[in-house]
Amino acid sequence: MTNRTDDEYPEAPSDRTHVKRYHWLARYDQETVKAILDATPLAHVGCMMNGVPFVTPTFFWREGDRVYWHGSSAGRLFKALEHQDICLTVSLLDGLVIARSAYNFNCNFRSVMLLGRAELISDAAVKAEKLRNFVDGLIPGEWERLRPVHAKEIEATAVASLSIAEASCKVRTGPPLDDEEDYAFPSWAGVIPIRYQVLPPEPDPRNLPDVPMPEDILKFRLG
């Protein structure tokens, strides 16, 4: 893990995204933000509901400088989104860092936090377009292979988006950082790497016998 000098730290896009704890791990550049967002389809959306903080896991996708996610139009999350700033986070665990003291145990990881006001998409045609982008982003060409979507399904689905402009990332890599005197202590230290593995597809036993698996199914990746 590389430590940077103070003059190498970039400016945060806002005071509330400025990383204070372990600030040497901070990244604010859009290249890093997009790379982390594109590494997984799972995010967590946090907002206040009736004075209580709620954090909801959700599938999401990125298009340019905005992220999108969907859910039930009747869900309370989407009723609360437009009335407050929200927080969307993505985290990837890359390794368990074993140090020579419990205090210095750590993990290698990539994380991004987005802040801002979400926008709901009400136009049915635009919602269908965004949902198509979501499906095809997971499995290329899958939307055209599926049963055509019903109008009532689009109506029952809410789609929200959020700018990625106000973002901060943290990235840690490398070996443990122990106190200097602890390097002489006879305890093993190192990193247990963690990787996301996509296993071979498992067919639905109720698949029709003459329907082959599309080659695009094998293109799904994580990490």
Side-chain angles (χ1 to χ4, degrees), residues 19-83:
V19 175
K20 297 177 175 62
R21 290 283 296 163
Y22 297 97
H23 61 279
W24 56 88
L25 302 180
R27 305 287 189 277
Y28 302 107
D29 62 283
Q30 287 289 292
E31 181 180 358
T32 301
V33 171
K34 293 176 180 179
I36 297 173
L37 293 173
D38 293 347
T40 177
L42 181 63
H44 289 80
V45 178
C47 68
M48 298 293 292
M49 297 186 200
N50 299 321
V52 179
F54 277 77
V55 178
T56 303
T58 183
F59 260 19
F60 83 102
W61 66 103
R62 182 180 67 85
E63 296 182 30
D65 295 332
R66 298 190 72 83
V67 292
Y68 296 80
W69 65 100
H70 75 285
S72 170
S73 294
R76 55 184 173 176
L77 171 65
F78 291 91
K79 297 182 185 300
L81 285 182
E82 290 190 304
H83 307 295

Side-chain angles (χ1 to χ4, degrees), residues 48-157:
M48 298 293 292
M49 297 186 200
N50 299 321
V52 179
F54 277 77
V55 178
T56 303
T58 183
F59 260 19
F60 83 102
W61 66 103
R62 182 180 67 85
E63 296 182 30
D65 295 332
R66 298 190 72 83
V67 292
Y68 296 80
W69 65 100
H70 75 285
S72 170
S73 294
R76 55 184 173 176
L77 171 65
F78 291 91
K79 297 182 185 300
L81 285 182
E82 290 190 304
H83 307 295
Q84 59 182 290
D85 281 6
I86 66 166
C87 178
L88 183 146
T89 62
V90 169
S91 300
L92 298 161
L93 180 63
D94 294 323
L96 181 61
V97 180
I98 311 297
R100 294 165 181 83
S101 68
Y103 183 78
N104 285 321
F105 263 54
N106 213 322
C107 63
N108 287 338
F109 67 97
R110 292 162 285 161
S111 67
V112 61
M113 179 180 70
L114 308 179
L115 295 174
R117 186 67 58 94
E119 297 179 3
L120 292 181
I121 298 174
S122 58
D123 183 272
V126 177
K127 280 203 289 184
E129 175 191 354
K130 296 305 178 184
L131 292 171
R132 175 176 181 160
N133 292 343
F134 167 57
V135 171
D136 285 345
L138 292 172
I139 309 294
E142 186 69 4
W143 185 268
E144 292 298 327
R145 291 187 286 264
L146 300 176
R147 183 265 291 160
V149 66
H150 296 318
K152 64 180 182 181
E153 295 173 331
I154 297 297
E155 183 180 355
T157 303

